[in-house]
Amino acid sequence: MNPLRSLILAAAGNDTVRGLVASAPVSRDVVRRFVAGESTEEAVEVTRSLVADDLHVTLDHLGEDTTNRTQAERTVRAYLELLDRLHATGLAGRAEVSVKLSAVGQSLGENLALTNASRICAAAEQCGTTVTLDMEDHTTTDSTLRVLAELRRSWPWVGAVLQAYLRRTLDDCRELAGSRVRLCKGAYAEPDGVAHTDPHEVDLNYVRCANVLLAGDGFPMFATHDPRLVDVIGERARWHDRKPGSFEYQMLYGIRPAEQRRLASEGNVVRVYVPYGEQWYGYLMRRLAERPANVAFFLRSLVSRS
């Protein structure tokens, strides 16, 4: 693993580093740029502005690795409040939610995570929107896919997330190609035995997986900021006779916003992943670790909106 990436991931779990990062003025600027805020209302206002630019949104209430039922319940209630506000403001047709099962009790038991995720899915259905289950480190992949399968018994529209750096993902794409699937590169520290560690191999596997998803009859969602992959996806979509609206691009809030608007102006569906909430530190560190060059990219983004 890249030494800088290892260092960043180690910092993600260090309370002292967290305190220093949180108190630095430049860090607060970064957080405001890449996180919608800490409250539901701030998240809704950011969603409103993105929708006004003809973009779609998926909202992630930050928080994971929940260690007790009280925390899990707090997360569920935050999502229920958010869904109510999206419905009340007329934004639910363009905005869905992304849920990490670890945030709703996965480490306390798969059944608890299923129960809590079901509550969120039921509320999303009532509000006229959808849910995507975020994927986390490889130790939770099988559990997350089992919960996904159970949720889809009642809500077949629940989205899956697959990570191109995992060696198993091409097979998982073949299994899930008839459904809503978000394909991303992956942002967790994984051993070589289960994940590609060479960035070139990750990119190659991403394209292989994209082809499988585009050849299926589901709805693929391609999460990447890589200009080369954006171009490849467009080319492969045309080759598979995929029309605009039969797949979507996804990008993180605050990253390449001009490109997001450009793709949308060409008739593509572009969904922006919008994190919000108090637990922003782990999210920010993973985005930096996802590609060490992101450190410089984030700093440049403070003075550039392109």
Side-chain angles (χ1 to χ4, degrees):
M1 181 183 295
N2 183 295
L4 179 56
R5 184 167 188 253
S6 299
L7 181 63
I8 294 169
L9 288 170
N14 187 297
D15 289 339
T16 300
V17 176
R18 176 189 174 117
L20 292 172
V21 171
S23 61
V26 68
S27 297
R28 291 194 292 271
D29 290 338
V30 170
V31 173
R32 281 194 295 269
R33 175 68 189 277
F34 299 104
V35 177
E38 295 190 351
S39 71
T40 298
E41 287 307 315
E42 287 173 308
V44 170
E45 283 308 306
V46 166
T47 300
R48 195 194 311 275
S49 67
L50 292 170
V51 169
D53 282 340
D54 201 28
L55 298 165
H56 293 69
V57 174
T58 186
L59 289 139
D60 171 22
H61 181 262
L62 294 172
E64 55 192 91
D65 298 327
T66 294
T67 57
N68 61 66
R69 288 176 176 265
T70 300
Q71 290 177 321
E73 179 63 21
R74 189 178 302 122
T75 298
V76 173
R77 290 185 178 276
Y79 274 109
L80 300 184
E81 177 186 2
L82 173 63
L83 288 164
D84 281 345
R85 290 295 297 136
L86 293 176
H87 178 67
T89 53
L91 295 170
R94 298 290 291 264
E96 63 143 35
V97 298
S98 288
V99 178
K100 289 180 175 61
L101 291 182
S102 69
V104 295
Q106 189 175 33
S107 67
L108 304 172
E110 199 170 292
N111 287 338
L112 176 62
L114 174 59
T115 296
N116 284 337
S118 296
R119 293 166 61 193
I120 296 170
C121 289
E125 181 178 50
Q126 291 179 343
C127 294
T129 189
T130 54
V131 176
T132 296
L133 291 188
D134 276 332
M135 192 63 76
E136 302 177 69
D137 72 88
H138 82 278
T139 64
T140 65
T141 300
D142 285 328
S143 172
T144 299
L145 292 178
R146 285 194 297 269
V147 172
L148 173 75
E150 288 301 315
L151 291 172
R152 284 181 169 178
R153 292 177 183 271
S154 299
W155 303 283
W157 41 255
V158 175
V161 175
L162 297 176
Q163 301 170 108
Y165 70 169
L166 294 183
R167 298 181 184 276
R168 61 174 289 170
T169 295
L170 188 59
D171 288 335
D172 288 333
C173 283
R174 294 183 179 116
E175 181 71 21
L176 297 173
S179 64
R180 289 180 66 238
V181 177
R182 175 196 299 155
L183 180 66
C184 65
K185 287 189 179 183
Y188 292 83
E190 303 286 14
D192 181 70
V194 299
H196 299 287
T197 55
D198 182 333
H200 180 62
E201 286 300 320
V202 175
D203 288 351
L204 288 176
N205 204 45
Y206 193 105
V207 175
R208 295 186 195 105
C209 292
N211 274 310
V212 170
L213 296 175
L214 287 166
D217 58 3
F219 187 82
M221 305 174 284
F222 298 108
T224 182
H225 310 101
D226 188 328
R228 297 168 302 167
L229 288 180
V230 169
D231 290 343
V232 167
I233 289 163
E235 187 276 326
R236 300 313 297 160
R238 289 187 291 273
W239 193 91
H240 286 283
D241 199 28
R242 285 278 190 161
K243 306 302 182 187
S246 67
F247 68 98
E248 69 183 38
Y249 295 97
Q250 295 192 355
M251 295 185 182
L252 297 172
Y253 176 61
I255 297 184
R256 303 195 73 199
E259 176 68 357
Q260 294 170 15
R261 293 191 295 271
R262 183 191 71 80
L263 288 168
S265 71
E266 294 178 352
N268 298 290
V269 177
V270 180
R271 190 174 301 274
V272 183
Y273 188 100
V274 177
Y276 77 102
E278 298 177 357
Q279 303 299 316
W280 54 265
Y281 178 72
Y283 167 84
L284 183 60
M285 290 298 102
R286 279 199 308 281
R287 296 289 76 77
L288 293 174
E290 192 169 27
R291 184 166 171 263
N294 281 349
V295 176
F297 182 84
F298 269 56
L299 294 177
R300 286 198 306 271
S301 295
L302 294 178
V303 295
S304 171
R305 287 281 173 179
S306 61

